[in-house]
Amino acid sequence: MLTGSRVYQEVVVARRVDMIWGDILLPLDFITGLIVSVYGIAKSAEDGRWHRRIKKASGFSPVRTIYHDRKAHREGKLNLLNVLSYARKHLNATDDRDYVFAFLAINKNLASTDKAKLQDQNGVPSLHDLVLPNYLDSVEDVYTNFARAAVQSSSSLEILQYVVPTKLSTEQKYTHPSWVPNWANRNFVCGSPIFVAGVPNHLSTCRGNLHPQASSMHSNINPKELHVFGHRIDCIGKVLKHSFKHAYFIPTLKKAFGLEELLSLLRSSLEQMAQDKGAELPEWFVRNARETLLRTVLADGAFTVDHKLHYPIEKLQAVYQNAGSGLVVEGNEEEIRLRQYLRQTGEVASGKRVFLMGGLDIGLAFSTVRDGDIVCILYGCDFPCVLRRCTSDGSSRNSYSFVGLCFLNGWMDGARNSRDWDWWREDPEEFILV
């Protein structure tokens, strides 16, 4: 199976690739398409056994990724950041710098896109032009310079979408800034990002405000720092200690999500927080706590192709309530479809925690989130961000580490938030990510 980063790139961009078994020769596109089709059928198995077997099959994951990347390349939609994100899960490199350098030629494909043309017209260099392979640089510098170039070329904080918490292996001693993805590490703490890389979205928490280039790229700024701007929403008051299972691998949805246990924990935590604040229970909890909780666990459909739920939340809740046995009445195609949809969208909760804000809002974040972290809206980022104040000696007062993106109920579309806070009309606050 293809394991090298450079070989992977060649396979993705080649016009035609054939696979040979003795006297048999077949097009790679036919083989990968067949495998992806079988995978789609296997996912529909209610108890998850076939899906689990296929996922464990050696070479399955890179073949599936090759299929989607070749398709994106033919359509002119292949994105370098997405390639790096998926490739690091399946491929190996003898030099960790090649998790970036080996794929730089792929980015030439972006020259034909409307976004790249617009950048050229505005005099903004492309990501490909800003990154030159230099094996004299350390791995940390290569990754940091690449992340900074991604910010500069896009006028956005899209790079934050690719930061996923990992555990450092014994072989790796790299010390990256918190806002820089560790492309060489696949030892993920969570199941997947909340907002899957490369998936279109209809959200704009920052109301379309761009990341201000001039301030963050100033020459006298520490190269390990990223100066960003935005508004803080609130501090996280309580992280609920509840673990979610992989929805595809557990016989029943109720065992995967455990909403009854979580609802009980949510109720007791909210009542205590409201009592301590001398406040009423929030409207979302009083009106329909179960529906809001399920919407939060699913991150409102963040795991789907357009980041939104495709079915009414009432129907999904009813299907979940009927899913205790794991059996489906034969011929009930709608229930089968909805259960499968819940399994798919529910994968986003793996490795995550439900949390409560000081103002009693509810959200979902990586399991690395802590009480006292702050949730912010940063210019150039379509999703709320969780930051943690640095307390080490010598740290600036406004220095923060980036914890990750999060789903925050009621706040995902800044233009339609019912609580139109005054800070939208005020100058944004500066945060230094380190």
Side-chain angles (χ1 to χ4, degrees):
M1 185 47 59
L2 299 169
T3 58
S5 301
R6 296 186 189 275
V7 175
Y8 182 90
Q9 176 179 248
E10 294 172 0
V11 171
V12 169
V13 301
R15 185 180 299 274
R16 178 186 173 96
V17 180
D18 292 326
M19 299 189 71
I20 302 174
W21 294 273
D23 295 333
I24 302 175
L25 184 148
L26 291 171
L28 176 66
D29 290 336
F30 171 78
I31 298 298
T32 55
L34 181 62
I35 291 173
V36 170
S37 297
V38 172
Y39 173 65
I41 296 173
K43 288 198 302 182
S44 64
E46 180 64 22
D47 60 6
R49 285 180 295 177
W50 278 104
H51 178 264
R52 184 162 54 248
R53 290 173 186 172
I54 289 180
K55 289 281 283 187
K56 289 182 178 180
S58 176
F60 165 75
S61 293
V63 165
R64 183 178 57 158
T65 304
I66 287 171
Y67 170 82
H68 290 294
D69 282 351
R70 279 181 61 81
K71 181 179 178 182
H73 177 67
R74 288 193 298 266
E75 297 173 351
K77 299 178 180 178
L78 192 61
N79 183 289
L80 176 60
L81 293 178
N82 296 342
V83 171
L84 264 59
S85 177
Y86 291 118
R88 69 167 169 168
K89 299 179 182 179
H90 319 307
L91 306 179
N92 296 315
T94 55
D95 189 319
D96 287 342
R97 285 166 287 204
D98 278 334
Y99 284 108
V100 169
F101 291 157
F103 297 101
L104 288 178
I106 283 180
N107 205 48
K108 291 181 180 180
N109 184 68
L110 296 180
S112 62
T113 64
D114 292 338
K115 184 175 182 180
K117 290 179 181 178
L118 179 61
Q119 291 173 350
D120 290 341
Q121 292 171 1
N122 293 335
V124 179
S126 69
L127 177 55
H128 178 78
D129 294 332
L130 290 170
V131 181
L132 297 176
N134 184 354
Y135 287 91
L136 297 179
D137 289 340
S138 68
V139 174
E140 292 97 328
D141 286 344
V142 169
Y143 290 1
T144 301
N145 293 338
F146 177 80
R148 187 174 293 280
V151 174
Q152 184 176 355
S153 64
S154 65
S155 298
S156 77
L157 298 179
E158 179 188 10
I159 193 67
L160 299 181
Q161 191 173 344
Y162 300 86
V163 177
V164 183
T166 58
K167 297 179 181 178
L168 286 179
S169 64
T170 55
E171 297 82 12
Q172 293 181 355
K173 302 297 181 183
Y174 309 141
T175 53
H176 300 84
S178 62
W179 54 275
V180 175
N182 184 355
W183 301 113
N185 196 334
R186 68 191 72 177
N187 189 15
F188 303 117
V189 173
C190 62
S192 72
I194 292 180
F195 304 98
V196 182
V199 175
N201 74 83
H202 64 290
L203 305 172
S204 181
T205 304
C206 66
R207 288 188 170 185
N209 287 292
L210 298 178
H211 171 67
Q213 292 285 352
S215 299
S216 63
M217 302 301 168
H218 200 274
S219 59
N220 63 0
I221 289 178
N222 186 328
K224 300 291 185 180
E225 299 176 351
L226 183 66
H227 289 230
V228 298
F229 297 82
H231 306 281
R232 66 180 66 207
I233 297 176
D234 203 350
C235 286
I236 293 178
K238 180 69 174 180
V239 178
L240 305 186
K241 303 302 181 182
H242 175 86
S243 297
F244 298 99
K245 310 297 183 183
H246 280 290
Y248 273 131
F249 300 160
I250 302 299
T252 69
L253 289 169
K254 287 194 173 183
K255 289 183 179 180
F257 295 160
L259 292 185
E260 288 72 20
E261 173 190 346
L262 183 56
L263 183 61
S264 176
L265 183 59
L266 176 65
R267 179 179 289 106
S268 60
S269 298
L270 266 177
E271 290 175 348
Q272 183 62 54
M273 291 177 66
Q275 181 179 343
D276 293 343
K277 294 173 62 68
E280 300 290 332
L281 290 173
E283 181 183 354
W284 62 261
F285 183 81
V286 175
R287 186 176 64 252
N288 202 325
R290 286 181 178 275
E291 287 187 7
T292 303
L293 179 58
L294 180 57
R295 186 183 296 278
T296 301
V297 170
L298 301 178
D300 209 7
F303 211 67
T304 60
V305 295
D306 53 5
H307 286 170
K308 61 181 179 182
L309 293 175
H310 296 164
Y311 300 98
I313 191 68
E314 299 84 4
K315 276 194 172 183
L316 295 177
Q317 183 183 357
V319 168
Y320 175 84
Q321 291 300 112
N322 296 332
S325 65
L327 300 176
V328 179
V329 178
E330 186 175 354
N332 192 337
E333 295 182 0
E334 182 182 38
E335 184 166 348
I336 294 174
R337 184 172 62 253
L338 290 176
R339 285 197 187 189
Q340 184 60 23
Y341 182 80
L342 276 175
R343 286 190 183 277
Q344 175 192 356
T345 53
E347 276 292 288
V348 70
S350 177
K352 312 300 188 304
R353 291 280 189 270
V354 172
F355 64 86
L356 292 169
M357 302 287 285
L360 306 185
D361 290 306
I362 185 172
L364 184 75
F366 292 131
S367 59
T368 52
V369 69
R370 300 176 188 169
D371 295 354
D373 290 345
I374 66 170
V375 178
C376 301
I377 293 175
L378 299 181
Y379 289 1
C381 186
D382 289 331
F383 316 105
C385 299
V386 180
L387 307 182
R388 182 173 299 150
R389 185 184 293 277
C390 294
T391 57
S392 58
D393 295 339
S395 297
S396 171
R397 181 179 59 85
N398 57 341
S399 292
Y400 295 84
S401 59
F402 177 73
V403 179
L405 305 179
C406 72
F407 170 81
L408 188 60
N409 183 58
W411 287 90
M412 300 310 297
D413 191 338
R416 297 180 180 177
N417 195 296
S418 59
R419 290 173 292 183
D420 190 7
W421 286 21
D422 290 337
W423 43 243
W424 281 117
R425 292 178 289 275
E426 298 175 355
D427 292 335
E429 179 180 354
E430 180 180 24
F431 303 91
I432 302 175
L433 304 186
V434 298

